[in-house]
Amino acid sequence: MPNQDAFLEYIKSGYTFKGEHFKLGCAMLNGEVVAGADVFLPLKTLNRHGLIAGATGTGKTKTLQVIAEGLSDASVPVLLMDIKGDLSGIATAGSDNPKIAERYQKIGGSWSAAAYPSELLSLSQEKGVRLRATVSEFGPILLSKILELNDTQAGLVAMLFKYCDDNKLPLLDLKDFKKVLQFAGDEGKAALEKDYGKISTTSTGTILRKVIELEQQGAALFFGEKSFEVDDLMRISDDGRGIISILRVNDIQDRPKLFSTFMLSLLAELYATLPEEGDLDKPKLVMFIDEAHLIFNEASDALLKQIDTIIKLIRSKGVGIFFCTQNPMDVPPSVLGQLGLKVQHALRAFTANDRKTIKQTAENYPLSDFYKTDELLTQIGIGEALITCLNEKGVPTPLAATMLVSPRSRMDVLTPAEIDGLVNNSKLVKKYGQEIDSESAYEILTAKLQEAAEKTAATEAAPKSSGKQKQEKGVLEQVMDSSVARQVGRTAANIITRSLLGALGLGGKSSKSKSWF
């Protein structure tokens, strides 16, 4: 029988931190809570990313909620990807019940209800702050990745972006990009080839079909103005707590490309915009991706590679990324190896594959003289988990079977009336609520092509002169005449930034810019 005093000292020495920290629970031995064996999370290493895993119904989402609350209390902004639609309750106070009282009698401390400063975000027509980015800001590298283009097709996309940059044709939404594609494959093909290189009609057709596929998953709602500014994800409330932004994407199962588009843009933007910070005392932003297996199972190769790259680089920007999933093996090994905090709820051993997963999972945790990890993984109860994190020196803490604290906010969703109240009081909803349709490539090209057609028709109908006819301008020259050069519009993202980040497979705007890219 393991010595309880030795265990208590083992946990205390492993989970004592000098910097800011918050309590996650109390460690257990032989299924019983050991008084005083408190398990804390140090804020200093929460930019080293993390994993919350476990079978359905074991309490993963509530653990996510607890960590998000602790971060907010420490003035760290949080972004929650609410894929199941059950995280909105964090915006209102919870209610006491006998089970909470019983839990706190065991783990010590006291519980009090609390609502957290929250903002609802949306990629669709759902209520909340609309997230958008323009095609120009998205850039040719990321657009080619999300469309899963080959090198030839990606080169054509880069050429069209350069053409639009050179000729003051803003690419704001998908209809702009489609119009330029159609122009390059038809009326403007000869003229573009003269200055920019060979254009394959087959390639333009293939790219157009992929853009239409993206539109069918709702991406037309994402591309456009007004672009969302990532600084609005990193706000502090008037009472000093970090604001928790809740992105409701509960229809992601049917729209994987839309979510991939958003994730690619967000990760690239955060990396491109935020300065290098080194090791901060606490993160600048922590992102939680609930039901992360949906991303890894459904996402494009571009997104998977992007996540792998970002995980390795973005911690130096002060950003932590946490994945919440049912099976820890859902996370690719290259990503799993980068996750400093691991919270493992119970796993089920119904099949041979389940037993294999349990064995592999146990091997990912530090060895312990107090636990048989593979057996414990099937025995821990709801609201309990195996925990290890990185201490302030970057060394893994001892494995601790932990009875977790309870969320202080509501462990359920907001009512429609509560959602309306939150949205109506939001400054960001008003800031981003109006959809803007500025004059851009679609309108400019359409108007100039129509003008060219009218001039051609008038010339053909006029009587022929005995003098030498003045040569008519070509279609491209008419489109690019001086009136177009005076158009005021937005252009594509900074070329130097694209080139530098392109070498890393990333994209985004210049760090001097404040828009979504």
Side-chain angles (χ1 to χ4, degrees):
M1 180 74 67
N3 184 285
Q4 185 166 310
D5 291 336
F7 176 77
L8 179 60
E9 180 60 29
Y10 176 69
I11 295 298
K12 279 188 172 182
S13 62
Y15 287 90
T16 298
F17 308 109
K18 294 180 180 179
E20 285 189 74
H21 53 271
F22 61 89
K23 184 175 177 178
L24 194 57
C26 194
M28 302 184 297
L29 183 64
N30 300 321
E32 299 294 330
V33 173
V34 177
D38 292 336
V39 174
F40 298 97
L41 292 186
L43 292 176
K44 187 176 180 63
T45 60
L46 289 187
N47 65 331
R48 303 296 182 93
H49 317 307
L51 173 71
I52 304 171
T56 300
T58 54
K60 299 187 302 298
T61 302
K62 302 302 179 287
T63 300
L64 184 160
Q65 195 170 340
V66 164
I67 298 175
E69 291 176 356
L71 288 165
S72 177
D73 286 333
S75 298
V76 177
V78 175
L79 173 61
L80 304 179
M81 305 293 180
D82 188 9
I83 293 179
K84 291 186 297 184
D86 56 0
L87 290 173
S88 62
I90 204 167
T92 192
S95 55
D96 199 359
N97 63 64
K99 290 185 178 180
I100 292 179
E102 180 183 350
R103 178 172 293 257
Y104 275 79
Q105 285 179 353
K106 295 178 180 179
I107 66 176
S110 59
W111 182 91
S112 60
Y116 283 81
S118 302
E119 192 79 62
L120 297 180
L121 311 179
S122 173
L123 291 174
S124 61
Q125 300 287 12
E126 286 194 27
K127 294 177 180 178
V129 180
R130 285 287 302 278
L131 301 185
R132 298 186 187 92
T134 68
V135 175
S136 287
E137 292 166 344
F138 203 70
I141 296 173
L142 292 184
L143 188 60
S144 296
K145 284 178 179 292
I146 199 61
L147 294 176
E148 298 181 324
L149 304 181
N150 61 33
D151 290 343
T152 300
Q153 294 159 352
L156 176 56
V157 170
M159 185 196 80
L160 293 178
F161 269 73
K162 176 70 168 110
Y163 159 71
C164 291
D165 281 353
D166 292 343
N167 295 288
K168 304 296 187 293
L169 291 175
L171 293 171
L172 302 183
D173 49 33
L174 285 182
K175 75 175 187 293
D176 291 326
F177 185 64
K178 286 165 61 180
K179 188 65 178 180
V180 172
L181 268 175
Q182 293 163 349
F183 178 74
D186 193 1
E187 299 96 332
K189 185 174 185 292
L192 264 72
E193 287 184 337
K194 179 180 177 182
D195 294 329
Y196 295 92
K198 186 70 175 175
I199 295 175
S200 167
T201 304
T202 301
S203 292
T204 59
T206 300
I207 297 169
L208 184 58
R209 287 194 297 273
K210 288 179 177 287
V211 172
I212 292 173
E213 178 188 354
L214 192 61
E215 279 185 316
Q216 290 177 330
Q217 294 202 18
L221 293 171
F222 175 69
F223 286 106
E225 294 184 300
K226 181 178 182 179
S227 295
F228 188 80
E229 301 170 10
V230 291
D231 286 350
D232 284 330
L233 294 176
M234 293 177 281
R235 296 181 300 139
I236 305 298
S237 67
D238 293 338
D239 62 7
R241 292 183 294 173
I243 291 181
I244 299 175
S245 301
I246 306 166
L247 177 61
R248 296 185 296 162
V249 284
N250 54 337
D251 54 354
I252 187 59
Q253 294 93 330
D254 301 323
R255 306 160 79 182
K257 277 192 176 293
L258 174 60
F259 191 64
S260 294
T261 300
F262 167 73
M263 284 297 298
L264 277 170
S265 62
L266 176 60
L267 294 176
E269 171 64 354
L270 287 170
Y271 181 82
T273 303
L274 298 178
E276 289 285 335
E277 298 285 4
D279 289 325
L280 299 171
D281 290 335
K282 57 186 177 183
K284 295 175 68 175
L285 174 70
V286 175
M287 179 192 312
F288 291 86
I289 304 174
D290 197 11
E291 299 297 321
H293 62 279
L294 295 176
I295 293 180
F296 294 116
N297 292 342
E298 300 292 342
S300 65
D301 290 339
L303 176 59
L304 297 180
K305 292 178 181 177
Q306 187 86 340
I307 290 175
D308 191 14
T309 302
I310 285 287
I311 281 289
K312 295 173 181 176
L313 299 176
I314 204 169
R315 75 168 185 83
S316 64
K317 307 278 188 170
V319 177
I321 302 175
F322 285 67
F323 300 98
C324 187
T325 188
Q326 295 180 16
N327 187 339
M329 297 299 106
D330 291 336
V331 181
S334 60
V335 174
L336 191 62
Q338 301 293 322
L339 308 182
L341 170 65
K342 295 184 177 70
V343 180
Q344 180 63 61
H345 289 266
L347 294 174
R348 308 301 184 207
F350 296 135
T351 67
N353 284 337
D354 291 340
R355 290 189 289 273
K356 182 179 179 181
T357 296
I358 290 170
K359 183 178 179 180
Q360 290 176 321
T361 300
E363 292 172 351
N364 286 327
Y365 286 85
L367 297 175
S368 174
D369 294 332
F370 298 95
Y371 302 123
K372 292 183 179 179
T373 307
D374 54 347
E375 295 179 6
L376 194 57
L377 282 171
T378 62
Q379 297 171 359
I380 51 179
I382 297 173
E384 301 171 357
L386 295 179
I387 293 173
T388 181
C389 63
L390 296 180
N391 66 20
E392 292 162 314
K393 295 181 179 179
V395 179
T397 59
L399 184 65
T402 306
M403 179 173 287
L404 303 167
V405 300
S406 301
R408 299 170 63 196
S409 55
R410 180 187 295 173
M411 291 186 279
D412 200 353
V413 299
L414 296 179
T415 65
E418 289 169 333
I419 290 175
D420 288 340
L422 191 60
V423 169
N424 292 337
N425 292 324
S426 168
K427 295 179 181 178
L428 292 188
V429 169
K430 297 178 178 67
K431 178 178 178 179
Y432 296 106
Q434 184 178 0
E435 189 170 351
I436 302 171
D437 190 11
S438 304
E439 186 176 40
S440 52
Y442 178 85
E443 289 81 10
I444 295 172
L445 284 176
T446 299
K448 292 303 175 180
L449 289 173
Q450 183 177 352
E451 180 183 343
E454 291 173 353
K455 286 184 178 180
T456 301
T459 301
E460 291 176 351
K464 292 184 179 180
S465 170
S466 58
K468 184 178 179 180
Q469 289 286 343
K470 183 178 179 181
Q471 185 178 6
E472 285 289 332
K473 288 183 178 181
V475 173
L476 182 62
E477 290 174 302
Q478 295 179 52
V479 173
M480 294 297 109
D481 66 14
S482 59
S483 64
V484 179
R486 292 193 297 269
Q487 292 290 338
V488 178
R490 300 168 70 180
T491 60
N494 186 279
I495 297 297
I496 296 176
T497 301
R498 285 197 203 131
S499 300
L500 291 175
L501 297 180
L504 295 174
L506 305 175
K509 69 175 188 298
S510 165
S511 61
K512 295 181 181 179
S513 175
K514 293 296 183 182
S515 65
W516 183 251
F517 284 87

